[in-house]
Structures are given as structure tokens and as C-alpha cells.
């Protein structure tokens, strides 16, 4: 389960001066205006800001899922060092008049390129909770599909391991578990016996709290000697090695057997995974349709689907905003648990700062398509620097009633944003320079940056 | 006052935007252009017949000297049809009748239907049940049967044909209007109006009706074509009161007997029927784009 | 009291299904004083909007009484009459103040005294109406003023909600969400109502806009001294806005009391969980995560409707054999499978189960060991032997009511029932 990733110090995502504009009949909406941000390995980055400030756009741009009328005007997003959006940017530079159809052709290419990492290395949970699950398919099938297409190797190796393992093996495994738990010795044993595919199956049984130890033992002992048709075996071994699917159309009968084996395995893995994340009755849930589940359960399933391939980065776009507080609390708990159990990186988008305070390590505040302040959670909450952040904090109602202060004025019209600081029209500290030039990010503390002339530049 | 100005500008902008959306739909523009041809034909012949070089603008001028259809030529660009009728002028005259007939059926039909649909939805319950059952019953009567029956009672006149068509057409609008108003009725501003003390009548006519009309209007523009097809079909099977009334369906039926020797006599008037149906359909699609908020803001 | 409701109930029928009702509001008592802001909190679907609409007769109640502008002493008399089942006396008072039977001109006059603001500022304004006409609608329709006066009043109202007067000639789509909500607010208070229902007026807005609207609401209350029912799912907002709080769950009031009492010292287990669930920047409270989801209003749990999720549920809170069976099955099949081979469970009645092939003593041990983890096990009153099998009998459940604590504090929970408290002392 917990595969130890190499601890790489380079950020997993680096966004440099990103400008993204939406072309519409009503005008050009400048949704992102020079975003600078990095997402570091292993952290939970919270992104906050009011609706329309470009949070979702940013998340989608990282995933490469932007609509055809979105122009990459300037800047880049490096995902693991790769600049996927380059063709779009170059098209925009060259083109005299931006044409969505042209952009779409290039987007298709970008999509092809990115589909290799999407769902596997990075995945996303979208804002609309009802629309993400297909109402016509069972929950299990929808999770399985992700596994099947992105991680067939794992499925094959799980299935093969159960075929390869002998009674002797499982007995030894139980013995090791009893003596040392799920440590290095278990891994070593599985490796030597070439049954690594058993690892997550064993662990997911062993960690279940509600089972009697004897029952667990019994279940583990059953993980062996499962016969497999000799025709399928070869293909499964090939899939295990390459972690990619063969062209099933070329092997009509065997293909069907192999596919069925893989999908069956995927259902098993899905149920295991749901159980691991504390969803009750996972074996039943996988056979349910989305409408049979409550909003909270559905959202958990969606998050699970996003996590199932152990992605390096998960983007959660307002995963709790449509839910009630008590259900929201359940989801936040799930995210905290995920953080502990699965070593991944998270970008958590929310308009609610207090939600972010529960889960994030670092927080970025966005305003009108820009990151105006970014820093460690404690710095943001204890000493907010940007006037907008400060005023935002005063506008949040809390249980212990304090005087609320709204922010006067309106968010700028993004078709025609201010030339200088985006917050200038509403800022009580505005200075002449603020009207003329956009402030860059100034360092104000340990790892804490603010885009405001109060903290640097040619301040008067 | 500057705000007022911007309000006006905003209104203009919305109008401009509507035009832009419509005109960005190429086939809708083509539909509109064709529709305008029919429209002006109908207007001119109806109100200024003197500008056209026709002695008898409202009837066909047969030529029994040479009744057999002639192929298109310099003199008769569309050829002639039995009995020696110049097809070009006949079509020009026919369009007038067909156009007004279609309008005369669609507009009252829609009016009746919308009223019934709105009343049914707003009062709901038994009223809705009864009105909709009646609608269903009328809807199930084939227009041909009704047209023949009414023709039998009132005589075969244009009026009885129109009455028959209106009678079979309104249920379509009643149903459509009901589905649209049902949607509008659920929007919160209706509840807000009730909370404000507005009477049911006011809510129906000042809130629900204006908000239901745009989709009904789109439906109307789509229906014009269907109606013209229907009228032509009635005329084709001999449902016209006078023998020399210029009507596209009738013209088609005149050419029918010569289909093998003079195909143009049937094909050309038939084409004008289909063309109109096609044009209003394309145009209606364009209107639908205009009222679709997603289309308005997309590119 | 500007408004008081007694035994107010609204069941929605389901079309085409007989005898199936959505019990949106179920036997609710609520009262609002002149000039008071009452907060109504609860999760979505708990019946808050339905209650708000009932109070101003936007929908008709299934049963119950709504009394408008009733003096306190007469309300007291009414309550006593209800308690003594003295229908005559109750009817006498109800006839004087009830609004449930108002019609025509009387209803219109009543509308003048109440206003409402809805949650979604996009759908609550007719897109084809000018702002001026929208705000003037209640003034003209309730004949509160003459049309010429209404015009002046509209300008006044625009000032009041801090919008430029020029906005009167605009259409709703030209305004931002916050501005629209101000227009809706202006409409809501146009006729100088004595009571305004605010149905989640800020839930669709950003926090910075929300703060401004809340501020505006407070200043309007001060100026007009109108009573408000502030409906929201956000308990922090309620804590900022209201004088008193009602907590609603699945169609019923769970707790009511003065704001400070309820927020600082919540008594009902649901209120406690609700408050602790609110994400907080500086967490001071241990978080209680409620399991599961709010119940289906078509088929409510027996007894206390909160019991399936209640972290401190008592043996008598409403458990039935149907709820016990899956828990027992699960335990027997997983953790204790070695001790119970060939066991099957049958439901014999609402309060009786038979466990075939199980030794009562062993069952008792399991129940004792697990009752901390699964509160449903607490409901077991006795386990008797019956030949080869065991019979499990459950406690008889009790349905709570609102128990009066002090200082107009009431809690719907058996923990506050004196007889129950005796029987099941909590550690
Ligand atoms: N497909 C689109 N076409 C045009 N404009 C869009 C599109 N998607 C988003 N926008 C605009 O971009 C801005 C940022 O939107 P979004 O990223 O969704 O903000 P957030 O998630 O912070 O609420 C908004 O002003 C929105 O109207
Ligand atoms: N007009 C209606 N017809 C049928 N059911 C309704 C109607 N209005 C509300 N309900 C149901 O009543 C319950 C309570 O709804 P509501 O009062 O809107 O709750 P809240 O405002 O607390 O979210 C919900 O289950 C809802 O589906
Ligand atoms: S840069 Fe100027 S206008 Fe912008 S936030 Fe700082 S002080 Fe205010
Ligand atoms: S009565 Fe009280 S203790 Fe019992 S379930 Fe309800 S809230 Fe919990
Ligand atoms: Mg968003
Ligand atoms: Mg509601």
C-alpha cells in the first residue's frame, strides 16, 4: 500500500506567471493574470479565494482539462518538469486572432499527452458532486474502470500472485504477520517468492479492526492456489510486466477471459480500498448505483476513485462545498486519514478558509486571477499580510461571535481588470504606485510571500 | 444619469449580443434570408398588388389554348403547368396564400394553446386534469378527418380549412406551453410574487406568461413550416374551395398527372413547399440559440 | 408575540403513492417576539424553509395553528387550553389571531405585515422586470401605498439597502449576486413588515459580501424594529445574528434557547455535534463526527429520530429489532465467528429477536464487550434461553418531547426526562 516514494525536493507542480483568458461573446474574461505557485511533494496546499477568482480554472489547467475557448496567453505549468500546455501557448503567440476551433485541435493533442499521467499520476475531484458519477453504472464499475485502464499491471499481479502462492506461502505469511506485523520481512518474503501482488491484499485484511484475528488468518490463508486458465496466464504475465493493456480486439476469446479476470480483480481492489477508508459494507457498496447513496457517501466514493491509483498529486476542487456541515466533517476526516495512509500531494481548493485551516499545510490566497499571498498555514492565519487576506479574515463568521466586517465594493470586472494591483479599487491602504503597476510577490517571512507594495518595491 | 445611460447601453448590448448569436449560426441566417423572400412576397402581394404586373393577383390565369405543361424556357423560367399556367407567377401568387394561411393557423392556435396551457398549470389539480384530458382527446383526432368533417358542415371554404387546422393545432401548444410554464412556475420569483400578495391572474399574466413566451415563440417559428406542409397536403388531395386558387399544394397536384412527361410541373412547386419548411426550421434553431443562456456566453 | 405556531405540521404527499408522506415539519412549536431575530439552524432537508413558508402562509399547514400578533398572556391561555384539551377555549383564542384560515383581502392585508427573502438571488427576481417594479410589487399588490407614493418609497428603499438610486431602471441580470440580494431585501421590507423571513439570505454569497449583508440586516432591524426569522445551515452566522436559536433536525425542533446559552453550552447531542462539526480556524472543541446521514423523511426512525446517529443514545431512544439484527449479524460473522457456528437470526416483532443455535450466555458476553462500540446493543433488555436458541428482548422505547430546562431553554432529548434519567444513569 504505502509505497515509499523517492523524496524529491523539486516541486511536483510549478506554475510560472500563468495567464489564461476565456474568449466569449461577452468579451475576454481574464481569468488568470500571472499566477505564480508551486505545489511541493507531500504537502497539502490549500487554495482559497472568492467565487470567480479562478481557483477551478487553475486546478483544471494543471490537469489540462480546459475548454476550447481558454487561451494560454503566457506562462507555463510544469508538472514533474514537463510543460504540457506549450503548444497552446505557442499557438496563441502566433495567432493573429484567437480561434477556439484551432485551440481545440491543439487541446486534443495536449489531452492525449496528458492522459498518460491523468488518473494515474495526477487526478482531480470536481466541484459538481452529482455530475461526476455516471448514474447508469455501479460504483464499483466506475472505480474499476480507472484501475483497469491506468493500472492493469497491479490487477494482473494481484491475480497472478494468488495463482502462484502455495498453501505453504500463505502459512508462512501468517506466521510472519503474527511475529513482526507488516514490516520489511514480509516484503522480502513476498519478493523472494514473486508474489508481491499479495501485499496490499494482505495488508487490507490485516488492518481491519472489526475482524477476529482467526478470521483474518483464515482469509489470508485463502489467498492461494486460485487456478487460472493457462491461456490467460501468459497475457496476464505480460500485462504485469508492461503495465499496459494488449489490444483486446486482436485476441477475441482470450481477450474476453483476460478482461474479465482484470475487472473482477478491480472490483475486489475497489471494495478493499473503500473498506480501508472506513466506508461501511464496501462489498455491497461496490454493487450499488450512485442514486442509492447519499450525497456524503457519493463524495467519498468520488474521492476514493481519485485516490485508487496512488496518484502523486490529487486536486480536490471544493469537495465539501455542496455538503452539510456534519457530512463535511466526515469528508474532512477522510481527507486527513488519506493524508496519513497514502503518501500523496494534495491541492485542496475551497472558498472557505476555515475548511482549509483544518487540512492544509500551506495556503495560497487568490484574488482576481492572481495569488496575492502564500505561506505556511500558521503564518497566514496568525499574521496575514495582504490587505485582502486581512479583511477576508474579518469577514468570516465564527462560533464565538465577533464583529464582522465586509469588504466594500465589488470584485473587478475581469474583462477589464485594473491595470495595477487588482485589489486597488477596494484597498484602504492604496498608494499611487498601486494604480500603475501590478505588485510582484515580496518575501515577508519564512516561506511567506505577499503581492502588495506595502511590503516592498518602490514604496513611498 | 450615467447609470441610466449604461442601462440603455446594456439593453443595446443585449440586443447586439442576440443578433451576434443569431448571425453566428450560418444556417439560421440562410433560413432567415429564404424566409424573408417568402415574407416580402406575401406582404407585397397582399398589400401592394398593384406593383406586381399581375392582372389577377389572387387567382391563377389558365391558358386553355396551350394547356399541356411546357418545359422551362426564357418566357417561362419555371415552365408551365396544366392548364397552361405560368409556374413562376403561379408560385409567387401561391406563396402569399400559403404564408398567410400558415400564420393564420399558427398564431391563433398558439394563442389558444398558451392560454389553456398556462391556466392548466397555474391552477393545477382538477382544472389541469380536465384541460389536459380535453387536449389529449383533441390531439388524437387526425386533422384530415376533422378538416373533412368541418368542410362538410361549413362548406369547403378556406375558412373551414383554417378552423379545422386551428382546432387540431392548439393542443400541441397547450402541451408545450404547459411544460414550459411548469418549469417557470417552480422558479422562486413566482413564490416571491405570491409572498408580495399578487393575485393568481397577475402572476399568470405578468410573471409566468412573459417568461414562457420566448420558447413558445421559437416553437411557433418551427411550426410555420409544418403547417404549410399540412395545408399543401390538404390542397393536394383536393381540399380547396375554388379551382383556380393559387396554392402550392394545389399547384403540385396539378403537375402530378404529368409526372412522367413534365416532372418540373410537380417538382418545382413541391420544392417551394419544402424550402419554406426547411428555412423556418433553420431559423427557429437560430432563435433557440438566442434564448439559450449558454449559447449567449460561449464562443 | 408577533407570531406563534402550535403543533404546526406539514406533510407533503407523494404523487401517485398512497399513504406515503414526506414529514417536512412535524409538530413544531415556535414563537417570535416583536423585534427579535430568531435563528433557525439545521442541515439541508430538515424542514427549515418549509417552516418559514408556513409561518407566512405561502403554503398551508397539514395541521396546527399559526397565531399572528397575539399578546403573551393570551398565548399562555391558549397553551393551557391546549394542555387541558379544552378545545372551546383554544378555538376562541385561535379565531381571534389565527392566520391559517385567512382568505382574499384579509390574506392580502396579512401579507403587508410579513416579508420574505430567498436564498438564491438569481432565481428570486423575475428577469423580465425592472428593479423598480420588483421592489414596488409588494407595495402595490398589498395596497400598502398609492402607486405614486410607491415610486418614492422605492428610491428610499434603494438608499436603505445602500444601492444607487439609478439601479431602479436596471434589470436583475445587470447586477452582481450581492446587489441582487440587496434588491430582494428591499422588496422584503418594502411594506414595513413586522416579520421578515430570511431563508438562507447569504448562503449563495461570498463571505466578504455576506458580512456586508449581515451588517445591513442588523442595522435595518434596529431602524424598523422588525422581527426576523433567520434560516441558515451555518451555525456561525446564526451565532452572529440572532437573539434566540432553534435547532431543527428531520422536521422537529431539537433545542431552543437564547443564543449564548445554546452556542456556549449546547445540551442536545445533535446541537453539540453540529457546533463541533463547524470548521474552525482555532479549534477549541473536541470534534464529534456524526456517523451516517440524516434520516429519510418518508420513513423516520422510531422514538427519537436522531438515535441512529446519536453518540450518547440511550437504550430507550427508539431502537427496534430491525436495527439490531444487522449489527448482531455482523458481529457474529466477523469478530466472533469462531464462537457461533451455524447461527441465524429471526425478527419476531418490533422488540423481539430469536438467535438460533446460540448460547445466551455467550451472546451476553459479546453484547457486554461490544456495547461501547455499537449503541444499538444497549437496547437489549434481556437474553433468554429457548431450547437451542436465544430470545433477545429489547427495551420499550420512548419518544422524547421538548423538556423545559430553564430560562426558556427547551431540549428534545430523553437525557432530560426525569424518569429516564433515573433508570439509565450515564457515567
Ligand atoms: N468556460 C468558461 N468560459 C468563459 N468564462 C469562464 C469559463 N469558465 C470560467 N469562466 C470565468 O472565469 C472566471 C474564473 O472562474 P473559476 O475558475 O470557475 O473561479 P472559481 O473556481 O474561483 O469560482 C470566472 O469569472 C468565470 O466566469
Ligand atoms: N413542495 C414540496 N413538495 C414535496 N416535498 C417538499 C416540498 N418542499 C419541500 N419538500 C421536502 O420537505 C423536506 C424539507 O425541505 P425544506 O423545508 O426545503 O428543508 P431545508 O430548507 O431545511 O433544506 C425535504 O425533504 C424536501 O424534499
Ligand atoms: S498593492 Fe496597494 S492596492 Fe494592492 S493591496 Fe497592496 S496597498 Fe492595497
Ligand atoms: S433522545 Fe437524546 S440521547 Fe436519545 S437518541 Fe435522542 S438525542 Fe440521543
Ligand atoms: Mg470553482
Ligand atoms: Mg431551505
Amino acid at each position: 500500500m504505502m509505497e515509499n516514494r523517492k523524496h524529491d525536493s523539486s516541486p511536483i507542480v510549478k506554475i510560472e506567471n500563468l495567464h489564461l483568458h476565456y474568449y466569449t461573446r461577452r468579451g475576454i474574461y481574464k481569468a488568470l493574470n500571472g499566477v505564480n505557485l508551486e505545489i511541493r511533494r507531500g504537502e497539502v496546499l490549500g487554495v482559497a479565494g472568492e467565487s470567480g477568482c479562478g481557483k477551478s480554472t487553475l486546478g483544471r489547467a494543471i490537469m489540462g482539462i480546459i475548454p476550447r475557448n481558454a487561451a494560454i496567453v503566457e506562462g507555463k505549468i510544469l508538472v514533474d518538469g514537463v510543460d504540457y500546455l506549450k503548444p497552446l501557448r505557442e499557438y496563441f503567440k502566433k495567432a493573429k486572432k484567437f480561434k477556439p476551433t484551432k485551440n481545440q485541435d491543439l487541446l486534443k493533442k495536449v489531452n492525449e499527452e496528458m492522459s498518460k499521467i491523468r488518473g494515474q499520476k495526477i487526478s482531480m475531484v470536481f466541484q459538481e458532486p452529482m455530475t461526476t458519477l455516471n448514474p447508469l453504472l455501479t460504483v464499483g464499475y466506475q472505480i474499476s474502470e480507472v484501475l483497469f485502464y491506468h493500472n492493469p499491471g497491479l490487477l494482473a499481479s494481484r491475480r497472478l500472485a494468488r495463482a502462484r502462492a502455495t498453501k505453504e506461502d500463505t502459512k508462512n505469511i501468517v506466521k510472519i504477520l503474527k511475529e513482526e506485523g507488516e514490516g520489511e520481512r514480509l516484503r522480502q518474503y513476498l519478493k523472494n517468492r514473486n508474489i508481491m501482488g499479495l501485499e496490499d491484499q494482505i495488508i487490507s485484511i490485516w488492518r481491519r479492526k472489526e475482524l477476529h484475528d482467526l478470521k483474518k488468518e483464515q482469509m489470508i490463508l485463502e489467498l492461494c492456489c486460485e487456478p487460472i486458465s493457462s491461456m490467460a496466464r501468459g497475457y496476464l504475465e505480460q500485462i504485469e510486466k508492461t503495465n499496459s493493456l494488449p489490444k483486446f480486439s486482436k485476441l477475441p476469446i482470450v481477450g474476453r477471459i483476460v478482461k474479465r479476470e482484470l475487472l473482477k480483480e478491480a472490483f475486489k481492489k475497489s471494495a478493499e480500498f473503500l473498506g480501508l477508508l472506513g466506508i461501511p459494507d464496501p462489498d455491497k457498496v461496490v454493487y450499488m448505483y450512485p442514486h442509492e447513496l447519499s450525497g456524503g457517501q457519493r463524495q467519498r466514493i468520488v474521492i476514493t476513485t481519485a485516490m485508487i491509483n496512488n496518484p502523486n498529486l490529487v486536486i480536490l476542487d471544493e469537495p465539501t462545498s455542496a455538503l452539510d456541515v456534519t457530512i463535511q466533517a466526515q469528508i474532512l476526516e477522510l481527507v486527513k486519514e488519506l493524508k496519513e495512509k497514502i503518501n500523496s500531494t494534495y491541492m485542496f481548493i475551497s472558498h472557505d478558509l476555515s475548511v482549509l485551516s483544518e487540512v492544509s499545510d500551506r495556503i495560497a490566497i487568490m484574488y482576481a486571477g492572481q495569488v496575492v499571498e502564500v505561506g505556511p498555514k500558521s503564518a497566514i492565519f496568525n499574521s496575514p499580510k495582504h490587505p485582502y487576506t486581512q479583511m477576508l479574515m474579518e469577514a468570516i463568521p465564527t462560533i464565538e461571535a465577533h464583529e464582522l466586517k465586509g469588504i466594500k465594493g465589488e470584485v473587478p470586472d475581469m474583462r477589464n481588470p485594473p491595470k495595477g494591483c487588482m485589489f486597488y479599487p477596494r484597498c484602504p491602504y492604496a498608494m499611487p504606485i498601486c494604480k500603475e503597476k501590478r505588485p510582484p510577490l515580496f518575501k515577508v517571512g519564512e516561506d511567506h510571500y505577499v503581492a502588495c507594495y506595502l511590503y516592498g518595491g518602490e514604496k513611498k | 444619469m450615467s447609470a441610466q445611460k449604461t442601462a440603455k447601453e446594456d439593453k443595446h448590448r443585449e440586443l447586439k449580443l442576440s443578433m451576434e448569436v443569431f448571425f453566428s449560426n450560418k444556417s439560421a441566417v440562410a433560413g432567415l434570408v429564404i424566409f424573408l423572400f417568402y415574407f416580402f412576397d406575401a406582404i407585397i402581394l397582399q398589400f401592394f398588388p398593384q406593383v406586381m404586373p399581375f392582372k389577377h393577383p389572387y387567382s391563377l390565369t389558365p391558358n386553355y389554348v396551350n394547356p399541356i405543361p411546357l418545359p422551362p424556357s426564357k418566357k417561362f423560367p419555371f415552365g408551365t403547368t396544366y392548364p397552361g399556367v405560368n409556374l413562376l407567377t403561379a408560385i409567387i401568387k401561391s406563396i402569399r396564400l400559403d404564408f398567410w394561411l400558415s400564420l393564420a393557423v399558427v398564431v391563433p392556435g398558439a394563442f389558444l394553446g398558451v392560454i389553456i396551457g398556462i391556466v392548466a398549470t397555474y391552477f393545477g389539480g382538477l382544472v389541469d386534469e380536465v384541460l389536459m384530458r380535453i387536449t389529449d382527446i383533441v390531439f388524437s383526432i387526425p386533422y384530415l378527418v376533422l378538416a373533412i368533417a368541418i368542410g362538410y358542415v361549413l362548406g369547403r371554404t378556406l375558412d373551414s380549412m383554417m378552423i379545422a387546422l386551428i382546432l387540431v393545432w392548439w393542443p400541441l401548444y397547450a402541451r408545450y406551453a404547459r411544460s414550459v410554464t411548469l418549469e417557470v412556475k417552480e422558479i422562486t420569483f413566482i413564490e416571491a410574487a405570491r409572498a408580495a400578495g399578487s393575485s393568481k391572474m397577475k402572476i399568470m399574466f405578468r410573471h409566468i406568461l412573459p417568461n414562457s413566451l420566448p420558447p413558445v415563440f421559437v416553437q411557433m417559428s418551427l411550426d410555420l413550416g409544418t403547417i404549410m406542409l399540412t395545408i399543401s397536403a390538404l390542397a393536394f388531395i383536393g381540399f380547396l374551395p375554388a379551382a383556380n386558387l393559387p396554392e402550392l399544394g394545389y399547384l403540385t397536384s396539378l403537375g402530378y398527372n404529368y409526372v412522367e412527361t413534365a416532372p418540373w410541373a410537380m417538382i418545382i412547386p413541391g420544392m417551394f413547399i419544402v424550402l419554406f419548411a426547411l428555412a423556418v426550421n433553420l431559423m427557429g434553431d437560430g432563435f433557440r440559440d438566442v434564448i439559450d443562456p449558454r449559447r449567449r456566453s460561449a464562443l | 408575540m408577533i407570531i406563534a405556531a402550535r403543533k404546526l405540521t406539514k406533510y407533503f404527499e407523494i404523487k401517485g403513492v398512497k399513504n406515503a408522506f414526506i414529514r417536512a415539519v412535524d409538530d413544531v412549536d415556535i414563537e417570535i417576539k416583536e423585534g427579535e431575530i430568531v435563528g433557525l439552524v439545521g442541515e439541508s432537508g430538515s424542514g427549515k424553509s418549509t417552516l418559514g413558508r408556513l409561518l407566512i402562509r405561502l403554503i398551508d399547514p397539514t395541521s396546527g395553528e399559526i397565531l399572528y400578533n397575539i399578546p403573551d398572556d393570551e398565548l399562555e391561555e391558549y397553551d393551557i387550553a391546549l394542555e387541558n384539551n379544552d378545545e372551546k377555549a383554544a378555538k376562541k383564542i385561535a379565531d381571534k389571531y389565527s392566520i391559517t384560515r385567512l382568505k382574499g383581502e384579509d390574506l392580502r392585508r396579512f401579507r403587508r405585515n410579513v416579508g420574505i427573502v430567498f436564498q438564491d438571488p438569481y432565481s428570486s427576481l423575475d428577469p423580465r422586470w425592472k428593479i423598480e417594479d420588483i421592489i414596488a410589487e409588494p407595495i402595490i399588490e398589498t395596497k400598502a401605498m398609492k402607486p405614486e407614493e410607491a415610486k418614492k418609497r422605492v428610491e428610499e428603499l434603494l438608499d436603505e439597502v445602500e444601492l444607487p438610486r439609478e439601479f431602479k431602471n436596471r434589470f436583475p441580470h445587470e447586477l452582481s449576486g450581492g446587489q441582487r440580494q440587496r434588491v430582494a431585501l428591499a422588496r422584503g421590507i418594502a411594506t414595513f413588515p413586522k416579520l421578515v423571513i430570511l431563508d438562507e439570505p447569504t448562503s449563495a454569497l461570498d463571505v466578504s459580501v455576506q458580512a456586508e449583508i449581515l451588517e445591513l440586516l442588523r442595522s435595518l432591524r434596529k431602524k424598523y424594529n422588525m422581527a426576523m426569522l433567520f434560516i441558515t445551515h451555518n451555525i456561525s452566522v446564526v451565532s452572529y445574528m440572532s437573539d434566540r436559536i432553534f435547532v431543527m433536525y428531520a422536521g422537529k425542533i431539537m433545542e431552543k434557547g437564547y443564543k449564548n446559552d445554546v452556542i456556549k453550552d449546547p445540551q442536545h447531542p445533535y446541537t453539540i455535534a453540529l457546533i463541533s462539526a463547524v470548521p474552525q480556524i482555532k479549534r477549541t472543541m473536541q470534534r464529534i463526527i456524526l456517523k451516517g446521514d440524516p434520516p429519510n423523511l418518508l420513513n423516520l426512525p422510531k422514538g427519537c429520530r436522531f438515535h441512529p446517529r446519536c453518540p450518547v443514545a440511550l437504550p430507550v431512544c427508539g431502537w427496534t429489532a430491525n436495527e439490531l439484527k444487522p449489527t448482531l449479524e455482523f458481529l457474529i460473522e466477523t469478530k466472533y465467528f469462531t464462537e457461533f457456528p451455524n447461527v441465524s437470526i429471526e425478527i419476531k416483532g418490533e422488540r423481539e429477536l430469536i438467535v438460533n443455535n446460540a448460547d445466551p450466555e455467550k451472546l451476553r458476553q459479546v453484547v457486554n464487550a461490544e456495547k461501547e462500540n455499537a449503541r444499538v446493543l444497549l437496547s437489549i433488555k434481556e437474553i433468554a434461553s429457548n431450547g437451542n436458541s436465544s430470545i433477545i428482548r429489547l427495551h420499550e422505547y420512548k419518544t422524547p418531547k421538548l423538556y423545559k430546562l430553564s430560562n426558556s431553554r427547551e431540549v428534545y432529548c430523553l437525557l432530560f426526562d426525569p424518569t429516564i434519567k433515573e433508570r439509565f444513569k450515564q457515567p
Side-chain angles (χ1 to χ4, degrees), chain A residues 129-135 139 142 290 293 298-299 301-302 305:
Chain A
M130 305 305 269
T131 53
T132 7
L133 288 174
N134 183 337
V139 166
Q142 300 188 50
L293 303 166
R298 247 185 312 228
Q299 190 64 310
I301 306 273
V302 170
T305 316

Side-chain angles (χ1 to χ4, degrees), chain B:
Chain B
M1 66 267 99
S2 74
Q4 229 168 51
K5 217 167 155 195
T6 51
K8 276 231 181 76
E9 274 166 14
D10 270 338
K11 269 204 107 169
H12 276 145
R13 216 180 51 212
E14 288 303 309
L15 193 68
K16 247 176 72 188
L17 190 65
S18 299
M19 310 262 280
E20 215 177 283
V21 172
F22 185 87
F23 284 104
S24 71
N25 184 340
K26 294 284 180 305
S27 44
V29 177
L32 179 69
V33 170
I34 297 169
F35 175 83
L36 285 178
F37 269 107
Y38 283 75
F39 177 70
F40 283 119
D41 183 318
I43 293 275
I44 290 169
L45 263 155
Q46 186 69 36
F47 299 110
F48 316 101
Q50 60 278 15
V51 305
M52 298 294 259
F54 301 146
K55 244 187 261 155
H56 307 286
Y58 302 145
S59 60
L60 295 176
T61 42
N63 176 6
Y64 291 105
V65 178
N66 195 359
I68 304 300
L70 295 174
S73 62
K74 267 240 171 79
K75 194 170 169 210
F76 306 116
F78 288 170
T80 69
T81 186
Y82 178 86
V85 176
N86 180 348
L87 257 182
L88 177 63
T89 57
I91 285 172
I92 292 175
K93 292 173 188 173
S94 302
I95 285 175
R96 175 200 69 100
L97 184 64
D98 275 312
F99 188 88
W100 293 123
L101 267 180
S102 310
L103 219 57
V105 171
V106 168
V107 172
F111 186 76
L112 202 67
V114 166
I115 298 289
I116 289 173
I118 287 186
V119 169
T121 12
Y122 194 79
F123 286 101
L126 196 64
V127 178
D128 183 30
E129 197 67 22
V130 169
L131 283 176
M132 280 300 128
R133 284 298 84 79
I134 295 175
T135 309
D136 287 346
I137 291 168
V138 179
F139 196 65
S140 61
I141 303 173
Y143 70 91
L144 255 173
V145 175
L146 194 72
I148 291 168
I150 290 181
Y152 188 75
V153 176
L154 301 180
R156 280 195 186 188
T157 61
L158 275 185
D159 291 344
S160 61
M161 183 158 125
M162 253 165 55
I163 291 173
L165 284 178
I166 292 171
L167 280 185
V168 291
W169 228 266
W170 69 262
L172 205 78
Y173 286 100
R175 279 182 170 190
Y176 186 64
R178 181 167 175 269
S179 71
V180 175
T181 39
L182 263 182
E183 255 168 56
V184 175
K185 198 184 147 195
E186 290 304 315
I187 309 178
T188 325
F189 63 74
I190 301 299
E191 198 164 18
R194 284 207 294 132
S198 292
S199 62
K200 285 197 165 184
M201 281 293 157
K202 274 217 166 138
I203 292 180
M204 260 192 292
F205 290 103
R206 295 209 51 210
H207 288 288
I208 297 184
L209 187 64
N211 281 290
S212 313
L213 278 184
V216 172
F217 175 72
V218 169
Q219 190 61 35
M220 272 169 72
S221 66
L222 291 169
D223 273 359
L224 274 178
T226 326
I227 298 263
M228 189 182 278
L229 284 173
T230 312
I231 293 171
S232 305
L234 280 174
F236 186 86
I237 59 165
F239 209 82
L240 275 194
N244 58 353
L245 213 53
E247 202 285 333
L248 287 170
Y250 177 58
L251 282 184
T252 317
S253 74
L254 287 179
Y256 181 66
N257 294 328
Y258 300 89
V259 124
E260 278 162 23
T261 52
W264 64 89
M266 185 170 119
I267 291 176
I268 293 177
M271 245 172 50
F272 273 86
I273 300 172
V274 175
L275 190 65
F276 183 74
L278 186 72
V280 288
N281 253 301
L282 296 176
M283 193 174 70
D285 276 341
F287 290 144
R288 190 175 296 164
D289 285 354
V290 170
I291 64 169
D292 179 354
R294 265 179 314 165
R295 282 305 195 117
R296 285 181 85 87
S297 42
L299 187 70

